[in-house]
Amino acid sequence: MGIERIKSIKDLPPEENVFSGTPACAGCGALLSLRLTLKALGRKIVIVNAAGCFTLLTIYPYTPFANSWLYTAMASAPAGAQGVRDALDILLEKGRLDPEEDLKVVVLTGDGAAYDIGLASTSGAIYRNLDFYYLCYDNEAYGNTGFQRSGATPFGSGTGTTPPGSVRPTGTELPKKDLFEIWRSHKPPYLATISPAYPVDLINKFKKAEQYKGPKLFIALSPCPPGWATDPSYTVKLAKLAVGTGVWALKEAVYGEVSHTIVPKKFKPVEEYLKEQGRFAHLFKPVRQEETLKKMQEMVDDYWKRHQLLL
Amino acid sequence: MLMLRVRFHGRGGQGAKVASRVLGTAAFLEGYYAQDFPLYGAERRGAPIAAFTRIADEPIMERGVISEPDVVIVMDKTLLRDHQAKPLSGLKKGGVIFINTPQSPEEARAEYTIAGQIITLDLTKICLDILQRTVISSLAGAVAAKIVGLSEASLKAAVEKVISEIVTDSVILEKNIEAALYCFHAIPAVELKTTEAVQMESRVFTMPFEPAAISSPALNTTGTTVLRKTGNWRVFRPVWDYDACNKCQICVARCPEGCILVNEEGFPYVDYENCKGCLICVEECPAKTLGKEREVHAKADSEEVIG
Amino acid sequence: MKKEMLTGNAAAAWGVRLAEVDYIPAFPVTPQTEIIETLARWIADGDMASRFVTMDSEHSMITAAGAASATGVRAFTATSSQGLLYGFEMLYAVAGWRVPLVMVNVSRGLSAPITLETDHNDVLAARDSGFLQIHCETCQEVLDSILMAYRLVEDERVLLPIIVNMDGFYLSFTREPVEVPNLERVRNFLPPYQPKHAFFKASQPMAQSVTALGGSLYSYFKYQMHLGSQKALEVYKEVCVEFEKEFGRHYDTIEGYMLDDADYVLVMTNSFSTLGKAAVKRARARGIKAGLLRLRLLRPFPAENIQRALTGKRAVAVIDQNISVGKGGILHSDVASCLCNEKQRPLLFSFIGGLGGKNISPGEFEFIFTELIKAVAGEAVEPSQLLYTEEEWQEMVRLKRIAGKE
């Protein structure tokens, strides 16, 4: 296929489409995911934002964006995207909008909206084959309200609503939902997981997605320094560890056909990733929770065995 | 009747809210009526926030922000030039300003042209020495407790109570108490000579109708956040060593803010006006040519006269 | 122009068709469904050049409609009862976006318990959202109000969304003669929508509905919505004049029936106003100087007009087809607020009637007039009363017995 793939970090599009000075936390992994995504998408886009951390990027009278933007509620950004896309198509069809003025429609959402409250409207938009991009910055909890358990929170993570205690020491007792597979069951043209630490992979996935009309999903595992209780400077390091340990599989699916884009040559132990983060600190101190740690490693191993990439 | 209003100015993550609680708790334990309350906007770690403590010997008939404080605790001196935070606004005549800075009061007075009583102490250094971190909540609370004249015993009990509600690690708790007491003793006893608050007269304005083209919450501009100058959020700044830099541009790719640029010779440089000091660039530099330096000079983002 | 037998739902669909609406996101809910089915049929047959999308919920539906409006097309949607409440959050959002969406609500009592027939708790729950509200008595009025609604809210002095309300069953499914205007005349009255304040295009990026932190900012935006809504009173007058010029029918913000010389006045809204008018006629025949005031525009609230209409009357009964649980009638409070400073204010009664579509019988209306006359003669004004008959109570006793409630 005639896609111009980039090869190194030096090939990243130089244009910055989300400007500095945002209220996002220092070291915000989601902001890095967004910045790279907008490098790929360019400025002729309209972002439809689900309520979440990034609702607060635009605060009157300031916006970090070079493109258009619309606030919607937490549950219905894909429905907002539907309205915007349909309206643009109507205006184009009726000759009321110059084709040069057309915009790509991009839903921007956190994991709380993507995995939980917005799932019905997301499912509806995929089902209707809406032509849009969907970027979920997944920091694995409701980050905007402090850090409470969402459907994206992994097994073993402490959060504000699943605090590890003396009776229930694990923290979150349920495994993370598989949003990729939820989407894949709808058979959209393009799905990908991305990482802010792998910008070349990220850009190339957007380049590839561009050729498909219909729903295009991107889930970016995005370290959250305050929620994960990590130093802001570790954001990229953690995003790399998530991939290196196999916790975050970088993959894509074209019309449902899955392929992994980056597979570690040798998987690091999951513990290397966990021990850096305050949200998992209770697994190591005051008592090492051996069973839980073992189970977390097994969950990762099972995934890669299932895909025959770990023998 | 006694009524003292203390306003804390810090940056998200520095502990202004907890400082106001340490002070409020100490006053409560000493038998006063007390009230404490934080106010923060959308911003997270690093952005200016304020917290308030009221202390009185009668039930407190006030709520919300303190616009005319008797004491201002500036936990991050860069806030003195922050046009959002405006830490000195409304400070009453005879009131006390505390500034977290290595400077002497005279140096601070000269730099910021501040009238009124100034007290300074380098809380960040003390905190880095004792706690190896920059969360100075207990320290700022201790400073305020000393300024308003509360006892050491009340302060100690308050730090114990407030900090143990947040952290379970007993070592961290002990070190918080140690740092708080150190600061309590390092601050001289002061006399507050303020009088009862004088409410500024405000006239009610009849808002005119404006059409939706003007009055809808929409922006017809782009990229305006750069005006907000988040460079003030930094505790440490990244510094490049061009002799060792191999121009790999990894730091450029890794910056969430997109504020590392490349100069004509291909060397990276940062927009210090907006760099929040996350230091991912320092962590990620493969050649280890990036270092960090503690911010000691406030970055002026306007020429406004302060005070 | 010829008349046809149309249901309220069909009349609504005709209004939308004649307004040449671009976009209709929809979701079915009884008793509104017929509107969207009719529109879908016309679109499928090529009678309307609109885009129709069945959404996944009313919440999504209102979001999509508002977002399309914010992108610059003329949008329409319709809902009812639970559907309105399911999308409730988005009412406030879309109003805050300052976009001229027109939505029909077909009133139906709210669950629990589930019911199908009409009352106004659904639409009145939305009264503080920023949506303007027009409440209709006849099927003709439904059609006409949709045309007026677009003209009103697309005016750049207003730019707020609007709900056109009709009663479920009693209008939605009721056929009566309706004059369907000629498209050319509608075009004279309603120019195409050309947004200058809310759109999305590459050459002029716009961030719509950004966060407003701090009370003084938020107060500004909220109060401007209020001022915009108030401005709509002035614009509404112009729209009325223009509408009458084109179509010969006149719709003021309020409608008086035998009101000018009346001493005893019923205040009502929507389709049951017809029953009230009949009751007034009967009372007049008995020598009672009765009259009726129908509230048509509920938001913005035409307080001055109501004041003028009711000042100097001897007694007024507000019949609320709704109940604010723990308070009583919703409109009673609104009417009271615009009379309380008048020296010549009438005695003001509150009656709750017609909940869940319960009939209001001639006997119940008679009871109301008797109460008003007694109070004017010196007896105390009774607190809020429910209109409910002995027969209805007896039936309820029987049903409770079957339900095992002994």
Side-chain angles (χ1 to χ4, degrees):
Chain A
M1 269 179 278
I3 308 152
E4 253 182 74
R5 298 170 61 84
I6 66 164
K7 293 192 180 62
S8 84
I9 268 180
K10 286 193 173 174
D11 303 330
L12 289 179
E15 190 178 64
E16 296 297 345
N17 295 329
V18 53
F19 289 84
S20 56
T22 67
C25 303
C28 174
L31 187 60
L32 183 52
S33 300
L34 177 65
R35 176 182 164 234
L36 295 168
T37 295
L38 294 197
K39 274 180 179 287
L41 290 174
R43 292 183 174 189
K44 284 173 81 168
I45 63 168
V46 49
I47 290 175
V48 181
N49 207 134
C53 282
F54 282 0
T55 317
L56 301 175
L57 291 182
T58 51
I59 299 181
Y60 198 90
Y62 302 108
T63 173
F65 296 112
N67 52 264
S68 285
W69 186 92
L70 174 69
Y71 158 81
T72 60
M74 195 167 184
S76 60
Q82 180 86 45
V84 173
R85 181 67 267 160
D86 286 343
L88 289 170
D89 287 344
I90 290 164
L91 293 171
L92 290 166
E93 276 165 26
K94 295 190 174 177
R96 281 145 63 188
L97 190 74
D98 188 323
E100 278 299 300
E101 295 279 17
D102 192 20
L103 301 165
K104 291 175 191 158
V105 180
V106 182
V107 163
L108 179 59
T109 171
D111 53 275
Y115 286 71
D116 295 336
I117 190 172
L119 201 48
S121 78
T122 304
S123 172
I126 314 169
Y127 165 72
R128 293 185 299 266
N129 201 35
L130 178 68
D131 186 26
F132 74 130
Y133 292 83
Y134 187 99
L135 173 63
C136 167
Y137 54 96
D138 180 357
N139 58 20
E140 305 198 309
Y142 291 100
N144 197 30
T145 41
F147 204 70
Q148 296 79 30
R149 199 227 68 198
S150 78
T153 305
F155 172 76
S157 167
T159 74
T161 48
T162 51
S166 55
V167 179
R168 310 187 79 149
T170 316
T172 302
E173 293 170 352
L174 300 167
K176 185 182 176 84
K177 279 192 204 174
D178 193 340
L179 187 65
F180 187 88
E181 288 300 316
I182 293 171
W183 268 70
R184 199 164 73 95
S185 71
H186 292 68
K187 303 199 174 48
Y190 191 80
L191 304 177
T193 56
I194 51 176
S195 166
Y198 292 83
V200 174
D201 179 71
L202 183 153
I203 297 280
N204 285 332
K205 282 173 172 164
F206 276 95
K207 278 177 175 283
K208 187 164 181 181
E210 213 169 39
Q211 63 189 308
Y212 302 107
K213 202 167 153 66
K216 297 170 273 281
L217 167 74
F218 299 83
I219 316 172
L221 182 71
S222 301
C224 166
W228 292 17
T230 54
D231 192 88
S233 65
Y234 284 7
T235 291
V236 171
K237 178 180 160 179
L238 283 165
K240 279 193 249 175
L241 271 171
V243 173
T245 55
V247 165
W248 190 241
L250 287 174
K251 57 185 169 181
E252 62 185 5
V254 176
Y255 290 109
E257 199 68 37
V258 181
S259 55
H260 287 81
T261 55
I262 292 179
V263 182
K265 286 199 183 68
K266 190 175 181 309
F267 289 95
K268 290 179 178 158
V270 169
E271 218 179 297
E272 273 189 41
Y273 170 67
L274 304 177
K275 68 173 195 247
E276 295 287 348
Q277 304 175 50
R279 63 175 173 156
F280 296 116
H282 60 284
L283 302 178
F284 301 97
K285 273 203 314 189
V287 188
R288 202 180 143 85
Q289 296 187 36
E290 213 56 73
E291 278 304 303
T292 306
L293 289 167
K294 192 163 151 256
K295 186 171 169 193
M296 291 168 94
Q297 182 66 55
E298 279 169 7
M299 287 162 86
V300 172
D301 292 348
D302 284 351
Y303 173 87
W304 292 101
K305 280 179 189 158
R306 208 161 56 245
H307 288 276
Q308 298 180 327
L309 292 163
L310 180 72
L311 303 169
Chain B
M1 181 200 135
L2 169 90
M3 178 73 190
L4 287 174
R5 301 169 187 85
V6 182
R7 195 170 66 200
F8 295 83
H9 290 273
R11 296 195 172 277
Q14 269 187 321
K17 169 181 153 183
V18 175
S20 75
R21 288 188 166 189
V22 167
L23 179 62
T25 304
F28 168 71
L29 293 173
E30 203 151 315
Y32 291 104
Y33 290 92
Q35 186 189 80
D36 53 57
F37 152 70
L39 185 67
Y40 32 84
E43 284 87 350
R44 303 305 154 80
R45 272 192 185 174
I49 76 155
F52 315 90
T53 306
R54 292 183 172 92
I55 301 167
D57 53 10
E58 287 178 16
I60 296 168
M61 302 295 284
E62 293 180 14
R63 300 235 172 258
V65 300
I66 292 172
S67 53
E68 295 179 359
D70 301 275
V71 179
V72 169
I73 306 289
V74 182
M75 295 168 68
D76 186 313
K77 76 170 213 168
T78 64
L79 291 167
L80 286 165
R81 288 226 167 98
D82 190 302
H83 54 77
Q84 283 179 291
K86 294 196 191 94
L88 303 185
S89 69
L91 179 69
K92 284 197 281 184
K93 209 164 177 246
V96 171
I97 303 151
F98 170 82
I99 306 170
N100 169 24
T101 172
Q103 289 174 311
S104 70
E106 289 68 33
E107 285 166 341
R109 184 188 306 285
E111 186 177 346
Y112 299 104
T113 49
I114 304 169
Q117 297 187 70
I118 303 178
I119 299 170
T120 62
L121 189 63
D122 191 353
L123 300 187
T124 305
K125 182 172 188 306
I126 296 164
C127 195
L128 284 168
D129 289 349
I130 299 177
L131 281 140
Q132 285 82 48
R133 53 199 284 191
T134 55
V135 187
I136 54 171
S137 45
S138 312
L139 295 79
V143 166
K146 182 66 172 282
I147 292 171
V148 301
L150 295 173
S151 72
E152 181 182 335
S154 304
L155 170 71
K156 184 164 181 282
V159 173
E160 256 167 12
K161 186 163 171 50
V162 174
I163 301 299
S164 66
E165 284 168 7
I166 306 167
V167 298
T168 46
D169 190 324
S170 60
V171 178
I172 295 176
L173 176 62
E174 285 308 315
K175 286 187 170 177
N176 266 283
I177 294 168
E178 182 192 338
L181 293 181
Y182 178 90
C183 295
F184 188 84
H185 292 296
I187 298 289
V190 285
E191 198 188 336
L192 279 168
K193 289 173 281 194
T194 51
T195 50
E196 196 33 40
V198 187
Q199 288 299 323
M200 299 283 276
E201 200 179 300
S202 38
R203 282 210 305 254
V204 171
F205 176 76
T206 306
M207 191 184 288
F209 164 80
E210 294 185 327
I214 302 293
S215 64
S216 71
L219 308 177
N220 299 66
T221 50
T222 56
T224 44
T225 45
V226 293
L227 302 171
R228 300 178 70 250
K229 313 287 185 208
T230 45
N232 273 342
W233 295 18
R234 284 192 306 273
V235 180
F236 293 95
R237 60 161 54 193
V239 182
W240 277 258
D241 171 6
Y242 287 164
D243 291 339
C245 173
N246 63 13
K247 305 180 185 176
C248 71
Q249 299 202 13
I250 282 177
C251 54
V252 180
R254 300 309 195 193
C255 175
E257 304 295 322
C259 57
I260 301 177
L261 311 162
V262 179
N263 69 17
E264 283 169 7
E265 294 144 63
F267 286 117
Y269 69 98
V270 73
D271 166 19
Y272 285 117
E273 298 264 283
N274 276 300
C275 162
K276 291 171 183 165
C278 71
L279 305 180
I280 290 175
C281 50
V282 177
E283 179 69 26
E284 290 299 311
C285 176
K288 300 289 164 211
T289 66
L290 266 146
K292 60 175 187 179
E293 282 175 10
R294 192 181 148 202
E295 287 290 346
V296 282
H297 302 292
K299 288 206 43 60
D301 62 8
S302 75
E303 295 306 310
E304 287 174 63
V305 179
I306 309 293
Chain C
M1 281 185 255
K2 64 177 182 8
K3 287 197 175 187
E4 286 181 49
M5 286 293 282
L6 292 181
T7 61
N9 280 341
W14 267 107
V16 177
R17 175 169 166 172
L18 291 169
E20 298 182 279
V21 165
D22 294 306
Y23 186 52
I24 305 158
F27 192 82
V29 56
T30 301
Q32 166 280 122
T33 312
E34 195 188 0
I35 300 176
I36 58 167
E37 281 185 343
T38 306
L39 293 169
R41 160 62 52 199
W42 284 338
I43 291 165
D45 288 342
D47 295 326
M48 272 181 85
S50 312
R51 187 178 280 230
F52 184 98
V53 186
T54 308
M55 297 297 290
D56 40 273
S57 73
E58 288 89 353
H59 190 281
S60 285
M61 175 189 89
I62 299 172
T63 307
S69 215
T71 310
V73 301
R74 183 174 285 164
F76 171 81
T77 192
T79 190
S80 178
S81 186
Q82 304 308 123
L84 185 71
L85 263 66
Y86 193 75
F88 200 73
E89 169 188 34
M90 292 315 296
L91 299 179
Y92 280 72
V94 170
W97 295 352
R98 302 300 302 267
V99 293
L101 172 66
V102 175
M103 176 159 84
V104 161
N105 182 64
V106 182
S107 271
R108 168 183 153 192
L110 292 169
S111 133
I114 294 177
T115 198
L116 293 174
E117 288 173 60
T118 192
D119 70 33
H120 306 140
N121 266 105
D122 58 356
V123 65
L124 291 176
R127 71 189 185 277
D128 306 330
S129 63
F131 271 69
L132 313 189
Q133 292 198 2
I134 292 176
H135 290 226
C136 302
E137 183 186 352
T138 66
C139 295
Q140 182 71 60
E141 200 181 334
V142 170
L143 192 160
D144 292 349
S145 295
I146 289 172
L147 301 178
M148 292 176 78
Y150 279 109
R151 171 86 189 249
L152 175 66
V153 296
E154 287 174 3
D155 190 292
E156 59 186 40
R157 291 166 290 178
V158 181
L159 290 170
L160 283 165
I162 185 166
I163 291 172
V164 174
N165 191 70
M166 75 170 111
D167 283 339
F169 290 79
Y170 301 106
L171 273 200
S172 71
F173 296 160
T174 301
R175 292 202 322 151
E176 59 189 16
V178 174
E179 186 179 299
V180 179
N182 175 292
L183 180 61
E184 287 312 313
R185 309 199 73 158
V186 173
R187 283 179 179 159
N188 286 341
F189 169 73
L190 180 65
Y193 176 47
Q194 278 167 334
K196 296 193 198 87
H197 77 299
F199 48 76
F200 291 120
K201 55 172 92 165
S203 62
Q204 284 172 275
M206 188 187 291
Q208 291 195 43
S209 194
V210 306
T211 304
L213 293 178
S216 54
L217 259 85
Y218 184 79
S219 302
Y220 168 78
F221 294 115
K222 268 293 185 208
Y223 202 72
Q224 286 298 336
M225 287 170 70
H226 176 64
L227 292 175
S229 185
Q230 296 276 294
K231 200 75 173 174
L233 285 171
E234 187 183 313
V235 179
Y236 184 83
K237 263 190 217 157
E238 302 169 15
V239 173
C240 268
V241 170
E242 292 298 315
F243 189 86
E244 190 174 8
K245 226 188 268 172
E246 199 60 56
F247 305 106
R249 288 182 291 276
H250 179 80
Y251 298 99
D252 208 338
T253 59
I254 54 173
E255 181 204 354
Y257 180 79
M258 298 190 174
L259 188 63
D260 290 348
D261 66 336
D263 289 330
Y264 304 97
V265 180
L266 305 178
V267 176
M268 295 183 75
T269 65
N270 290 285
S271 68
F272 274 19
S273 304
T274 309
L275 304 183
K277 287 174 182 174
V280 165
K281 226 170 149 181
R282 285 193 302 272
R284 285 272 177 174
R286 296 201 316 276
I288 300 167
K289 285 175 89 176
L292 180 139
L293 175 70
R294 179 169 72 92
L295 309 182
R296 178 176 136 79
L297 187 67
L298 276 182
R299 286 293 180 275
F301 194 63
E304 273 182 39
N305 293 354
I306 294 170
Q307 217 171 56
R308 226 174 298 134
L310 297 180
T311 299
K313 304 299 178 196
R314 302 182 82 172
V316 172
V318 180
I319 304 178
D320 269 293
Q321 205 173 341
N322 64 72
I323 181 160
S324 170
V325 176
K327 166 66 175 71
I330 292 169
L331 296 176
H332 173 258
S333 306
D334 276 8
V335 171
S337 73
C338 58
L339 293 175
C340 66
N341 289 328
E342 294 302 304
K343 289 209 174 63
Q344 290 198 294
R345 61 177 180 265
L347 296 174
L348 192 65
F349 281 72
S350 171
F351 293 92
I352 308 285
L355 294 184
K358 192 196 93 65
N359 185 40
I360 306 178
S361 61
E364 287 162 273
F365 280 112
E366 225 168 275
F367 169 78
I368 293 171
F369 284 119
T370 309
E371 288 288 288
L372 300 191
I373 291 163
K374 278 194 328 203
V376 168
E379 284 191 24
V381 174
E382 294 288 331
S384 180
Q385 297 178 75
L386 178 71
L387 299 176
Y388 204 76
T389 63
E390 289 266 351
E391 297 75 22
E392 284 166 339
W393 178 252
Q394 289 313 322
E395 177 64 1
M396 198 62 225
V397 168
R398 190 179 72 81
L399 297 179
K400 282 188 288 185
R401 205 173 299 131
I402 299 170
K405 305 277 192 169
E406 303 258 12

